[in-house]
Amino acid sequence: MLDLDKTNFEEEVLKADGYVFVDFYGDGCVPCQALMPKVHEFAETYGDKMKFTSLNTTKARRLAISQKILGLPVMAIYKGGEKIDEVVKDDATPESIEAMIQKYI
């Protein structure tokens, strides 16, 4: 998992080739913390087929807002500089996250 911030988001996500998974999380987000081990497991399992990254929205609030992240957790897939899919808030379960990943690998 590559940690993102305002200095590398554009290069690592928006200008990247292929599909990029972004885990938008916050320090105080309990559901985010609960999902994190599973997301890391997905990164290990599917990391050869898709880039896996994470962005701490607590530290990059303006960047998160620019990406229309208005609540947490959000797991998104980008391609060609655009967000093409996402799983948000209560819909963010290990099963729904893996199903989204499976559509793009």
Side-chain angles (χ1 to χ4, degrees):
M1 294 278 295
L2 175 67
D3 289 327
L4 299 171
D5 59 30
K6 65 183 179 183
T7 65
N8 66 353
F9 187 86
E10 183 175 353
E11 191 68 32
E12 296 294 345
V13 178
L14 302 180
K15 292 183 177 178
D17 293 329
Y19 295 104
V20 182
F21 177 97
V22 182
D23 173 12
F24 291 94
Y25 72 96
D27 291 335
C29 174
V30 173
C32 299
Q33 302 302 323
L35 287 168
M36 201 169 287
K38 198 67 180 169
V39 171
H40 283 271
E41 185 180 310
F42 293 147
E44 287 182 28
T45 303
Y46 303 114
D48 58 333
K49 299 178 176 116
M50 177 183 295
K51 182 191 287 188
F52 281 79
T53 66
S54 63
L55 178 75
N56 183 336
T57 62
T58 305
K59 295 179 181 173
R61 187 173 190 81
R62 287 178 191 236
L63 176 56
I65 291 169
S66 78
Q67 295 302 304
K68 297 179 176 52
I69 305 302
L70 304 175
L72 296 174
V74 174
M75 311 295 162
I77 304 230
Y78 285 76
K79 183 168 189 198
E82 299 290 325
K83 187 187 327 175
I84 59 168
D85 206 348
E86 67 183 354
V87 178
V88 300
K89 297 184 182 182
D90 294 340
D91 293 332
T93 64
E95 296 78 18
S96 65
I97 295 165
E98 187 167 26
M100 180 179 67
I101 293 166
Q102 289 284 339
K103 290 193 290 188
Y104 301 101
I105 60 170

